[in-house]
């Protein structure tokens, strides 16, 4: 999956939550925020456009994992 560098602004409590959650999962804050954004997009019904096949396979796997995580949470 392609990675783009972006600048985000988070309030201090949101950043603290993200840092703690990322540390608990043993991943970087950037990775945790990416996964959280995908989970929220799936939860709210976002359906991506059809990207290139290789990217589509990766996105589909991540979307499936996000849906599985949501179901496990109840």
């Amino acid at each position: 999956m392609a990675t783009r560098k972006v600048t985000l602004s988070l309030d201090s409590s949101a950043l603290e939550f993200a840092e703690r959650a990322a540390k608990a999962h043993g991943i970087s804050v950037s990775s945790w925020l990416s996964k959280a954004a995908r989970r929220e997009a799936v939860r709210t019904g976002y359906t991506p456009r059809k990207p290139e096949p290789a990217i589509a396979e990766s996105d589909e796997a991540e979307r499936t994992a996000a849906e599985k995580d949501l179901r496990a949470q109840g």
Side-chain angles (χ1 to χ4, degrees), residues 1 34 38 42 57-67:
M1 172 175 286
S34 291
R38 281 191 292 277
V42 168
E57 290 175 16
S58 176
D59 285 349
E60 181 64 21
E62 289 182 17
R63 186 186 65 77
T64 300
E67 287 176 344

Side-chain angles (χ1 to χ4, degrees), residues 2-72:
T3 301
R4 293 185 344 191
K5 185 174 182 177
V6 298
T7 301
L8 298 174
S9 296
L10 301 172
D11 63 65
S12 59
S13 62
L15 179 57
E16 183 179 344
F17 283 135
E19 289 171 335
R20 287 182 179 187
K23 184 175 182 179
H25 287 90
I27 60 177
S28 69
V29 173
S30 294
S31 180
W32 188 89
L33 287 170
S34 291
K35 290 178 182 194
R38 281 191 292 277
R39 282 192 306 268
E40 183 64 7
V42 168
R43 189 188 71 77
T44 58
Y46 171 73
T47 304
R49 289 182 257 149
K50 295 196 182 265
E52 299 174 30
I55 294 172
E57 290 175 16
S58 176
D59 285 349
E60 181 64 21
E62 289 182 17
R63 186 186 65 77
T64 300
E67 287 176 344
K68 183 179 176 183
D69 288 347
L70 285 172
R71 283 190 209 104

